[in-house]
Amino acid sequence: MEDLQFDTITSLQRREAYAEITFDLEPGKNATLKGKVDTGASDSILPLRTFRKMYPSSVSADGNPVGLEPSTVRLSAYNGSPIQHYGTITLQCSYRDSERVTARFFVCDCSGPVIFGLPLSYLLLQKGSFH
């Protein structure tokens, strides 16, 4: 197995690592988000509050996201408690100035940070974003 080294990610606490990833919101408009790198997470999470800021025109009058891809995937937290989600959004993103990758995020009404799960971390590693 190949050794992977994450020397460009900041660690704010001994057991957590965070990175800033740039997302293409629309042509000519980007957003950079700080999120928790969680290689133990099987998917990436975009909290509803963050989705609302990124895509204010994709929020209904009652504050719920519109235009997401439906999903029947059941998400659960590390402790096994279920995480409800509204569906998924597929985003183009990059770490620093690396090649863009396509990543799926579940939009959840949760209080935690943006989570960059294993699939996104792996894609960015393949593109040479982390070394």
PDB file of all heavy atoms in Angstrom, residues 3 5 11 23 25 27 31-32 36 39 55 67 76 86-87 94-95 97-99 108 111-112 114 116 120:
ATOM      1  N   ASP A   3       2.088   4.987   0.749  1.00  0.00           N
ATOM      2  CA  ASP A   3       1.941   5.945   1.835  1.00  0.00           C
ATOM      3  C   ASP A   3       1.423   7.260   1.282  1.00  0.00           C
ATOM      4  O   ASP A   3       1.864   7.717   0.233  1.00  0.00           O
ATOM      5  CB  ASP A   3       3.280   6.202   2.531  1.00  0.00           C
ATOM      6  CG  ASP A   3       3.700   5.042   3.399  1.00  0.00           C
ATOM      7  OD1 ASP A   3       2.821   4.287   3.848  1.00  0.00           O
ATOM      8  OD2 ASP A   3       4.909   4.893   3.624  1.00  0.00           O
ATOM      9  N   GLN A   5       0.721  11.333   2.264  1.00  0.00           N
ATOM     10  CA  GLN A   5       1.112  12.345   3.233  1.00  0.00           C
ATOM     11  C   GLN A   5       0.316  13.613   2.973  1.00  0.00           C
ATOM     12  O   GLN A   5       0.289  14.122   1.860  1.00  0.00           O
ATOM     13  CB  GLN A   5       2.605  12.634   3.118  1.00  0.00           C
ATOM     14  CG  GLN A   5       3.093  13.609   4.146  1.00  0.00           C
ATOM     15  CD  GLN A   5       4.585  13.826   4.023  1.00  0.00           C
ATOM     16  OE1 GLN A   5       5.231  13.247   3.172  1.00  0.00           O
ATOM     17  NE2 GLN A   5       5.114  14.671   4.860  1.00  0.00           N
ATOM     18  N   SER A  11      -3.965  21.523  10.646  1.00  0.00           N
ATOM     19  CA  SER A  11      -4.566  20.783  11.745  1.00  0.00           C
ATOM     20  C   SER A  11      -4.824  21.763  12.877  1.00  0.00           C
ATOM     21  O   SER A  11      -3.884  22.313  13.447  1.00  0.00           O
ATOM     22  CB  SER A  11      -3.638  19.663  12.216  1.00  0.00           C
ATOM     23  OG  SER A  11      -4.219  19.002  13.315  1.00  0.00           O
ATOM     24  N   PHE A  23     -14.868  26.047  -4.867  1.00  0.00           N
ATOM     25  CA  PHE A  23     -16.003  25.486  -5.598  1.00  0.00           C
ATOM     26  C   PHE A  23     -16.431  26.433  -6.709  1.00  0.00           C
ATOM     27  O   PHE A  23     -16.425  27.646  -6.526  1.00  0.00           O
ATOM     28  CB  PHE A  23     -17.197  25.273  -4.653  1.00  0.00           C
ATOM     29  CG  PHE A  23     -16.942  24.249  -3.608  1.00  0.00           C
ATOM     30  CD1 PHE A  23     -16.367  24.597  -2.396  1.00  0.00           C
ATOM     31  CD2 PHE A  23     -17.261  22.922  -3.836  1.00  0.00           C
ATOM     32  CE1 PHE A  23     -16.117  23.644  -1.427  1.00  0.00           C
ATOM     33  CE2 PHE A  23     -17.020  21.964  -2.872  1.00  0.00           C
ATOM     34  CZ  PHE A  23     -16.441  22.322  -1.674  1.00  0.00           C
ATOM     35  N   LEU A  25     -19.342  27.980  -8.348  1.00  0.00           N
ATOM     36  CA  LEU A  25     -20.766  28.191  -8.083  1.00  0.00           C
ATOM     37  C   LEU A  25     -21.546  28.349  -9.380  1.00  0.00           C
ATOM     38  O   LEU A  25     -22.628  27.811  -9.533  1.00  0.00           O
ATOM     39  CB  LEU A  25     -20.970  29.416  -7.203  1.00  0.00           C
ATOM     40  CG  LEU A  25     -20.304  29.372  -5.824  1.00  0.00           C
ATOM     41  CD1 LEU A  25     -20.570  30.660  -5.079  1.00  0.00           C
ATOM     42  CD2 LEU A  25     -20.791  28.179  -5.032  1.00  0.00           C
ATOM     43  N   PRO A  27     -20.595  30.001 -13.743  1.00  0.00           N
ATOM     44  CA  PRO A  27     -19.484  30.497 -14.567  1.00  0.00           C
ATOM     45  C   PRO A  27     -18.962  31.850 -14.073  1.00  0.00           C
ATOM     46  O   PRO A  27     -19.727  32.796 -13.889  1.00  0.00           O
ATOM     47  CB  PRO A  27     -20.108  30.613 -15.961  1.00  0.00           C
ATOM     48  CG  PRO A  27     -21.215  29.607 -15.966  1.00  0.00           C
ATOM     49  CD  PRO A  27     -21.752  29.618 -14.564  1.00  0.00           C
ATOM     50  N   ALA A  31     -16.383  30.061  -4.789  1.00  0.00           N
ATOM     51  CA  ALA A  31     -16.419  30.223  -3.336  1.00  0.00           C
ATOM     52  C   ALA A  31     -15.388  29.283  -2.744  1.00  0.00           C
ATOM     53  O   ALA A  31     -15.236  28.150  -3.207  1.00  0.00           O
ATOM     54  CB  ALA A  31     -17.801  29.899  -2.785  1.00  0.00           C
ATOM     55  N   THR A  32     -14.668  29.749  -1.746  1.00  0.00           N
ATOM     56  CA  THR A  32     -13.706  28.904  -1.045  1.00  0.00           C
ATOM     57  C   THR A  32     -14.270  28.594   0.326  1.00  0.00           C
ATOM     58  O   THR A  32     -14.638  29.498   1.076  1.00  0.00           O
ATOM     59  CB  THR A  32     -12.340  29.602  -0.921  1.00  0.00           C
ATOM     60  OG1 THR A  32     -11.863  29.889  -2.234  1.00  0.00           O
ATOM     61  CG2 THR A  32     -11.339  28.721  -0.198  1.00  0.00           C
ATOM     62  N   LYS A  36     -13.807  20.164   7.137  1.00  0.00           N
ATOM     63  CA  LYS A  36     -13.099  19.132   7.863  1.00  0.00           C
ATOM     64  C   LYS A  36     -12.795  17.967   6.922  1.00  0.00           C
ATOM     65  O   LYS A  36     -13.689  17.454   6.265  1.00  0.00           O
ATOM     66  CB  LYS A  36     -13.944  18.643   9.039  1.00  0.00           C
ATOM     67  CG  LYS A  36     -13.276  17.598   9.894  1.00  0.00           C
ATOM     68  CD  LYS A  36     -14.172  17.236  11.053  1.00  0.00           C
ATOM     69  CE  LYS A  36     -13.539  16.161  11.903  1.00  0.00           C
ATOM     70  NZ  LYS A  36     -14.388  15.806  13.044  1.00  0.00           N
ATOM     71  N   THR A  39     -11.486  11.313   6.327  1.00  0.00           N
ATOM     72  CA  THR A  39     -11.332  10.133   5.478  1.00  0.00           C
ATOM     73  C   THR A  39     -12.108   8.934   6.016  1.00  0.00           C
ATOM     74  O   THR A  39     -12.219   7.931   5.333  1.00  0.00           O
ATOM     75  CB  THR A  39      -9.850   9.764   5.298  1.00  0.00           C
ATOM     76  OG1 THR A  39      -9.266   9.539   6.582  1.00  0.00           O
ATOM     77  CG2 THR A  39      -9.105  10.871   4.578  1.00  0.00           C
ATOM     78  N   TYR A  55     -26.007  29.259  -2.553  1.00  0.00           N
ATOM     79  CA  TYR A  55     -27.045  29.233  -3.589  1.00  0.00           C
ATOM     80  C   TYR A  55     -28.351  29.850  -3.072  1.00  0.00           C
ATOM     81  O   TYR A  55     -29.356  29.161  -2.941  1.00  0.00           O
ATOM     82  CB  TYR A  55     -27.302  27.798  -4.048  1.00  0.00           C
ATOM     83  CG  TYR A  55     -26.083  27.136  -4.617  1.00  0.00           C
ATOM     84  CD1 TYR A  55     -25.324  26.241  -3.855  1.00  0.00           C
ATOM     85  CD2 TYR A  55     -25.668  27.424  -5.922  1.00  0.00           C
ATOM     86  CE1 TYR A  55     -24.188  25.650  -4.389  1.00  0.00           C
ATOM     87  CE2 TYR A  55     -24.531  26.833  -6.448  1.00  0.00           C
ATOM     88  CZ  TYR A  55     -23.800  25.952  -5.679  1.00  0.00           C
ATOM     89  OH  TYR A  55     -22.670  25.364  -6.197  1.00  0.00           O
ATOM     90  N   GLY A  67     -34.021  21.880  -6.181  1.00  0.00           N
ATOM     91  CA  GLY A  67     -33.172  21.507  -7.301  1.00  0.00           C
ATOM     92  C   GLY A  67     -32.100  20.485  -6.991  1.00  0.00           C
ATOM     93  O   GLY A  67     -31.207  20.254  -7.801  1.00  0.00           O
ATOM     94  N   SER A  76     -25.493   8.159   8.444  1.00  0.00           N
ATOM     95  CA  SER A  76     -25.469   8.081   9.906  1.00  0.00           C
ATOM     96  C   SER A  76     -24.168   8.681  10.408  1.00  0.00           C
ATOM     97  O   SER A  76     -23.137   8.650   9.724  1.00  0.00           O
ATOM     98  CB  SER A  76     -25.609   6.644  10.389  1.00  0.00           C
ATOM     99  OG  SER A  76     -24.550   5.845   9.915  1.00  0.00           O
ATOM    100  N   TYR A  86     -31.514  16.381   2.437  1.00  0.00           N
ATOM    101  CA  TYR A  86     -32.480  16.846   1.442  1.00  0.00           C
ATOM    102  C   TYR A  86     -32.199  16.284   0.056  1.00  0.00           C
ATOM    103  O   TYR A  86     -33.017  16.437  -0.839  1.00  0.00           O
ATOM    104  CB  TYR A  86     -32.451  18.376   1.364  1.00  0.00           C
ATOM    105  CG  TYR A  86     -32.944  19.035   2.624  1.00  0.00           C
ATOM    106  CD1 TYR A  86     -32.054  19.450   3.602  1.00  0.00           C
ATOM    107  CD2 TYR A  86     -34.300  19.244   2.841  1.00  0.00           C
ATOM    108  CE1 TYR A  86     -32.496  20.065   4.762  1.00  0.00           C
ATOM    109  CE2 TYR A  86     -34.756  19.850   3.995  1.00  0.00           C
ATOM    110  CZ  TYR A  86     -33.843  20.259   4.953  1.00  0.00           C
ATOM    111  OH  TYR A  86     -34.297  20.852   6.094  1.00  0.00           O
ATOM    112  N   GLY A  87     -31.041  15.702  -0.142  1.00  0.00           N
ATOM    113  CA  GLY A  87     -30.628  15.202  -1.435  1.00  0.00           C
ATOM    114  C   GLY A  87     -29.177  15.581  -1.675  1.00  0.00           C
ATOM    115  O   GLY A  87     -28.461  15.987  -0.755  1.00  0.00           O
ATOM    116  N   SER A  94     -11.719  22.342  -6.435  1.00  0.00           N
ATOM    117  CA  SER A  94     -10.275  22.113  -6.508  1.00  0.00           C
ATOM    118  C   SER A  94      -9.638  22.549  -5.197  1.00  0.00           C
ATOM    119  O   SER A  94     -10.204  23.340  -4.440  1.00  0.00           O
ATOM    120  CB  SER A  94      -9.654  22.890  -7.670  1.00  0.00           C
ATOM    121  OG  SER A  94      -9.781  24.277  -7.455  1.00  0.00           O
ATOM    122  N   TYR A  95      -8.467  22.011  -4.944  1.00  0.00           N
ATOM    123  CA  TYR A  95      -7.667  22.389  -3.782  1.00  0.00           C
ATOM    124  C   TYR A  95      -6.502  23.213  -4.292  1.00  0.00           C
ATOM    125  O   TYR A  95      -5.744  22.745  -5.151  1.00  0.00           O
ATOM    126  CB  TYR A  95      -7.178  21.149  -3.041  1.00  0.00           C
ATOM    127  CG  TYR A  95      -6.342  21.471  -1.833  1.00  0.00           C
ATOM    128  CD1 TYR A  95      -6.947  21.953  -0.679  1.00  0.00           C
ATOM    129  CD2 TYR A  95      -4.973  21.313  -1.846  1.00  0.00           C
ATOM    130  CE1 TYR A  95      -6.195  22.256   0.432  1.00  0.00           C
ATOM    131  CE2 TYR A  95      -4.219  21.605  -0.730  1.00  0.00           C
ATOM    132  CZ  TYR A  95      -4.837  22.083   0.410  1.00  0.00           C
ATOM    133  OH  TYR A  95      -4.091  22.393   1.517  1.00  0.00           O
ATOM    134  N   ASP A  97      -4.625  25.407  -6.633  1.00  0.00           N
ATOM    135  CA  ASP A  97      -4.803  25.584  -8.083  1.00  0.00           C
ATOM    136  C   ASP A  97      -4.742  24.270  -8.838  1.00  0.00           C
ATOM    137  O   ASP A  97      -4.337  24.224  -9.996  1.00  0.00           O
ATOM    138  CB  ASP A  97      -3.738  26.550  -8.624  1.00  0.00           C
ATOM    139  CG  ASP A  97      -3.969  27.965  -8.124  1.00  0.00           C
ATOM    140  OD1 ASP A  97      -5.139  28.361  -8.002  1.00  0.00           O
ATOM    141  OD2 ASP A  97      -2.980  28.670  -7.842  1.00  0.00           O
ATOM    142  N   SER A  98      -5.169  23.193  -8.218  1.00  0.00           N
ATOM    143  CA  SER A  98      -5.112  21.880  -8.862  1.00  0.00           C
ATOM    144  C   SER A  98      -6.212  21.741  -9.905  1.00  0.00           C
ATOM    145  O   SER A  98      -7.106  22.568 -10.023  1.00  0.00           O
ATOM    146  CB  SER A  98      -5.258  20.785  -7.812  1.00  0.00           C
ATOM    147  OG  SER A  98      -6.570  20.811  -7.278  1.00  0.00           O
ATOM    148  N   GLU A  99      -6.154  20.645 -10.628  1.00  0.00           N
ATOM    149  CA  GLU A  99      -7.189  20.319 -11.601  1.00  0.00           C
ATOM    150  C   GLU A  99      -8.520  20.148 -10.879  1.00  0.00           C
ATOM    151  O   GLU A  99      -8.581  19.603  -9.776  1.00  0.00           O
ATOM    152  CB  GLU A  99      -6.800  19.012 -12.309  1.00  0.00           C
ATOM    153  CG  GLU A  99      -7.746  18.592 -13.395  1.00  0.00           C
ATOM    154  CD  GLU A  99      -7.284  17.310 -14.077  1.00  0.00           C
ATOM    155  OE1 GLU A  99      -6.073  17.023 -14.063  1.00  0.00           O
ATOM    156  OE2 GLU A  99      -8.148  16.600 -14.593  1.00  0.00           O
ATOM    157  N   CYS A 108     -27.416  18.601   4.269  1.00  0.00           N
ATOM    158  CA  CYS A 108     -28.016  18.176   5.541  1.00  0.00           C
ATOM    159  C   CYS A 108     -28.255  19.379   6.437  1.00  0.00           C
ATOM    160  O   CYS A 108     -27.454  20.312   6.453  1.00  0.00           O
ATOM    161  CB  CYS A 108     -27.083  17.217   6.273  1.00  0.00           C
ATOM    162  SG  CYS A 108     -26.622  15.774   5.339  1.00  0.00           S
ATOM    163  N   SER A 111     -25.484  20.939  12.405  1.00  0.00           N
ATOM    164  CA  SER A 111     -24.741  22.041  13.008  1.00  0.00           C
ATOM    165  C   SER A 111     -23.235  21.950  12.784  1.00  0.00           C
ATOM    166  O   SER A 111     -22.526  22.899  13.048  1.00  0.00           O
ATOM    167  CB  SER A 111     -25.029  22.094  14.514  1.00  0.00           C
ATOM    168  OG  SER A 111     -24.612  20.878  15.111  1.00  0.00           O
ATOM    169  N   GLY A 112     -22.760  20.845  12.282  1.00  0.00           N
ATOM    170  CA  GLY A 112     -21.323  20.647  12.114  1.00  0.00           C
ATOM    171  C   GLY A 112     -20.761  21.389  10.911  1.00  0.00           C
ATOM    172  O   GLY A 112     -21.467  22.088  10.191  1.00  0.00           O
ATOM    173  N   VAL A 114     -18.612  21.783   7.155  1.00  0.00           N
ATOM    174  CA  VAL A 114     -18.571  21.111   5.862  1.00  0.00           C
ATOM    175  C   VAL A 114     -17.629  19.927   6.034  1.00  0.00           C
ATOM    176  O   VAL A 114     -16.577  20.036   6.669  1.00  0.00           O
ATOM    177  CB  VAL A 114     -18.034  22.057   4.767  1.00  0.00           C
ATOM    178  CG1 VAL A 114     -17.866  21.326   3.448  1.00  0.00           C
ATOM    179  CG2 VAL A 114     -18.935  23.274   4.610  1.00  0.00           C
ATOM    180  N   PHE A 116     -15.412  17.020   4.093  1.00  0.00           N
ATOM    181  CA  PHE A 116     -14.820  16.486   2.877  1.00  0.00           C
ATOM    182  C   PHE A 116     -14.507  15.022   3.155  1.00  0.00           C
ATOM    183  O   PHE A 116     -13.551  14.693   3.840  1.00  0.00           O
ATOM    184  CB  PHE A 116     -13.545  17.244   2.495  1.00  0.00           C
ATOM    185  CG  PHE A 116     -13.737  18.736   2.349  1.00  0.00           C
ATOM    186  CD1 PHE A 116     -12.844  19.626   2.913  1.00  0.00           C
ATOM    187  CD2 PHE A 116     -14.811  19.244   1.632  1.00  0.00           C
ATOM    188  CE1 PHE A 116     -13.008  20.989   2.771  1.00  0.00           C
ATOM    189  CE2 PHE A 116     -14.990  20.616   1.489  1.00  0.00           C
ATOM    190  CZ  PHE A 116     -14.085  21.489   2.060  1.00  0.00           C
ATOM    191  N   LEU A 120     -13.979  12.414  -1.955  1.00  0.00           N
ATOM    192  CA  LEU A 120     -13.422  13.688  -2.407  1.00  0.00           C
ATOM    193  C   LEU A 120     -11.934  13.768  -2.088  1.00  0.00           C
ATOM    194  O   LEU A 120     -11.129  14.189  -2.926  1.00  0.00           O
ATOM    195  CB  LEU A 120     -14.166  14.862  -1.775  1.00  0.00           C
ATOM    196  CG  LEU A 120     -13.599  16.256  -2.075  1.00  0.00           C
ATOM    197  CD1 LEU A 120     -13.508  16.503  -3.578  1.00  0.00           C
ATOM    198  CD2 LEU A 120     -14.443  17.320  -1.398  1.00  0.00           C
TER     199      LEU A 120
END
